[in-house]
Amino acid sequence: MQDVTSRRASAPYNQHYDPVADKSIGSGSDYAPTYWIGTAGTPPADDGPVTSDMDVDVVVIGSGYTGLSCALHLAKEFGIKAHVLEAHGVAYGCSTRNGGQAQISTGRLKRSQWIERWGLDVAKGMHAEVVEAFDLFRNLIKDHNIDCDPQDGGHYYVAHRDWMMPKLESEAALLRDTFGYGARILSRSEIHADVLRDEEARGAMWEPDGVGIHAAKLAFGYQKIARELGAKVHVDSPVIEWTTKNGVHHLRTPGGTVRARAVAVATAAYAPRGLHKRTRDRLLPIMSNSITTRVLTEPELEACGFKTRSPITDTRTLRHYYRLLPDNRVQIGSRAAITGKDAANPKHLAALREGLARKFPALRGIDLDYSWWGWVDVSHDMMPRITSMPGVPNAFYSLGYGGNGVMYSAQAGRRMAQLVAGREADIPQLPIFRDELPHEGWKTPFRRLGQWGLYQLYHLQDERA
């Protein structure tokens, strides 16, 4: 096994990359300047780039949480040693640009919306799936001693306006009475006394399952486990052409063509449109910005009233996700630019700073140690798919978490490994495993115009008194 422990990027980080507009993701780029990369230490060993043609059993495209979990479980449960192909460094995309929040969900829909879409029986099946997923996520960290700073204490869903409280109360009652899940409601005074002094908070719903993690350390932990089990992880090896001949997939990279009997796609929002026709335009990549403050002083911590390091999300449609990190910095993120060209526009950073200041006035104008952004893989119906690619033999994908993939990606990678291994019978009969991601058809060229309009509407709705 070749160990490469000091990867040197040959290209600067492209802060304007746009998976909708750009033909290629490139290769050899530095990481985005995230808090997670800045504090993770030296990445573990990888297997270097592809340097010649090769024949393998399985290729996994993408080395984020999902791809690494797929490789890990292929080896652990089925003895299949996959080759993971990554365009840049390991976990270059979503997996090192998120907020490090593990919640008991996947996709963008609530339990009540599951019932509305699929009926009660399917919704209960979906709930059982995410409960099982959270157990897997916790056990991976525990059983393999992944040093990702887990902060386990539940998830707080904070009402940012009074009119959101009845909705949270209804959802909490549904979780308790229908799903047997111990959600509960906290008042504004309880939040301020026992959780944190978020000045916007009118109350909150607390869910028992919620873990804050160090995003890059989690990914690097998965990488280390996968390689110990025999998987290969090839960095700086983007797939620039994918053809299938006589049932064999030919994946051309800058260093050589990898021929595989099976392919698992785990690129989240970072696959260029030209990767494959069955994945093209099946997602609408959404930009999310994030900042991390300098270390807070004791008076600042007192003023903000932090008594938890659990994940917190507010009830805006264009939501804020935030928490106190183990080193006493505050991280907060939210939706931002619509295009890659506009990603670095100062107005997005200013809006996020203002969001932080509204919640914690003592932090207005505080110095920032990190500021970054990244693309989130949102599906057109707000739910992920872990499924085969119609008409393409032995090809699968797991995509579309909508910002709720930190936890569920571990289970999604395992489910995709089961598909690759021909163990469909082990997977529950749920919609996210049966159908491919929906396509918007004739509306595809106008999606971003629609997104711009919806963002204006959502902002007006979110901020009304």
Side-chain angles (χ1 to χ4, degrees):
M1 178 180 290
Q2 176 192 10
D3 281 347
V4 178
T5 57
S6 58
R7 172 184 178 269
R8 294 184 179 181
S10 59
Y13 161 61
N14 178 8
Q15 62 181 346
H16 299 295
Y17 173 70
D18 188 329
V20 172
D22 292 349
K23 293 182 179 180
S24 170
I25 193 173
S27 64
S29 170
D30 201 356
Y31 285 98
T34 72
Y35 167 79
W36 313 117
I37 290 298
T39 59
T42 303
D46 56 60
D47 294 284
V50 173
T51 57
S52 62
D53 293 352
M54 65 175 81
D55 295 285
V56 304
D57 284 335
V58 178
V59 160
V60 178
I61 304 176
S63 70
Y65 300 146
T66 302
L68 293 170
S69 174
C70 182
L72 185 163
H73 284 99
L74 280 169
K76 185 176 183 179
E77 297 186 3
F78 306 111
I80 298 172
K81 310 299 176 63
H83 287 246
V84 181
L85 303 183
E86 168 59 52
H88 301 291
V90 170
Y92 173 84
C94 298
S95 297
T96 53
R97 307 193 200 196
N98 60 75
Q101 296 195 6
Q103 303 171 22
I104 190 159
S105 189
T106 184
R108 295 283 292 164
L109 301 185
K110 301 186 288 290
R111 303 303 191 274
S112 57
Q113 292 169 307
W114 290 353
I115 294 173
E116 181 180 345
R117 178 173 293 185
W118 296 312
L120 181 57
D121 289 344
V122 172
K124 285 185 173 181
M126 282 294 303
H127 180 76
E129 171 70 7
V130 295
V131 169
E132 179 181 327
F134 220 119
D135 288 341
L136 174 70
F137 173 76
R138 281 197 177 100
N139 289 335
L140 278 175
I141 294 172
K142 177 184 175 182
D143 295 346
H144 295 279
N145 297 312
I146 299 176
D147 182 19
C148 61
D149 307 330
Q151 309 288 307
D152 201 335
H155 169 245
Y156 293 90
Y157 200 24
V158 170
H160 75 290
R161 294 288 186 269
D162 288 320
W163 49 265
M164 285 302 307
M165 281 304 295
K167 297 181 180 181
L168 286 185
E169 290 164 356
S170 175
E171 200 70 24
L174 179 70
L175 282 165
R176 291 193 304 270
D177 300 340
T178 301
F179 294 94
Y181 186 71
R184 61 186 176 90
I185 292 294
L186 291 80
S187 67
R188 174 180 169 88
S189 60
E190 288 173 319
I191 285 284
H192 281 194
D194 301 329
V195 184
L196 78 170
R197 200 167 297 122
D198 180 340
E199 295 300 331
E200 286 192 317
R202 317 318 295 174
M205 178 178 73
W206 177 77
E207 299 169 318
D209 294 291
V211 179
I213 53 90
H214 189 293
K217 290 181 181 179
L218 177 66
F220 293 159
Y222 287 174
Q223 175 192 355
K224 185 172 183 290
I225 299 164
R227 290 189 74 246
E228 287 174 350
L229 291 170
K232 302 285 189 179
V233 180
H234 296 287
V235 297
D236 300 331
S237 300
V239 175
I240 54 182
E241 184 182 48
W242 178 353
T243 58
T244 305
K245 304 172 185 177
N246 300 319
V248 177
H249 301 285
H250 295 243
L251 305 170
R252 185 165 63 88
T253 76
T257 296
V258 183
R259 295 175 291 269
R261 67 168 184 83
V263 177
V265 179
T267 52
Y270 283 81
R273 293 181 70 244
L275 177 65
H276 196 282
K277 64 181 180 181
R278 299 308 310 187
T279 61
R280 183 180 302 141
D281 298 328
R282 299 281 171 175
L283 300 170
L284 179 58
I286 300 293
M287 182 78 76
S288 191
N289 273 30
S290 196
I291 56 175
T292 303
T293 69
R294 60 159 169 75
V295 176
L296 269 56
T297 65
E298 286 300 324
E300 288 167 340
L301 288 167
E302 177 64 25
C304 297
F306 282 110
K307 295 181 175 64
T308 184
R309 298 181 188 273
S310 294
I312 305 161
T313 310
D314 73 18
T315 50
R316 289 175 168 86
T317 303
L318 303 177
R319 62 189 179 185
H320 290 97
Y321 50 93
Y322 48 110
R323 64 187 174 107
L324 182 66
L325 298 171
D327 59 7
N328 288 339
R329 291 178 170 95
V330 171
Q331 177 274 330
I332 184 170
S334 186
R335 302 299 177 246
I338 291 176
T339 67
K341 288 182 179 179
D342 192 46
N345 190 322
K347 72 178 183 181
H348 303 304
L349 176 58
L352 193 50
R353 277 184 167 278
E354 181 60 26
L356 177 66
R358 286 198 304 267
K359 296 179 180 300
F360 306 109
L363 304 186
R364 182 174 292 279
I366 190 171
D367 291 338
L368 304 179
D369 282 348
Y370 297 90
S371 173
W372 70 93
W373 49 85
W375 294 101
V376 178
D377 57 330
V378 178
S379 69
H380 296 302
D381 69 353
M382 303 298 170
M383 290 299 292
R385 298 295 192 281
I386 303 93
T387 187
S388 59
M389 294 168 59
V392 188
N394 294 316
F396 313 88
Y397 62 64
S398 179
L399 303 165
Y401 308 129
N404 282 326
V406 170
M407 179 281 292
Y408 188 71
S409 55
Q411 176 82 334
R414 175 173 171 259
R415 294 299 190 202
M416 192 157 59
Q418 290 170 330
L419 288 171
V420 171
R423 299 292 293 270
E424 293 91 342
D426 296 340
I427 300 175
Q429 291 297 305
L430 295 170
I432 62 172
F433 304 121
R434 291 201 303 262
D435 305 320
E436 66 178 327
L437 287 164
H439 195 284
E440 288 291 85
W442 66 268
K443 294 182 283 186
T444 298
F446 308 104
R447 291 178 301 164
R448 282 190 161 168
L449 179 61
Q451 182 186 351
W452 179 88
L454 285 172
Y455 271 26
Q456 309 310 306
L457 175 62
Y458 292 154
H459 180 75
L460 291 173
Q461 291 176 338
D462 285 343
E463 305 309 329
R464 71 183 188 270

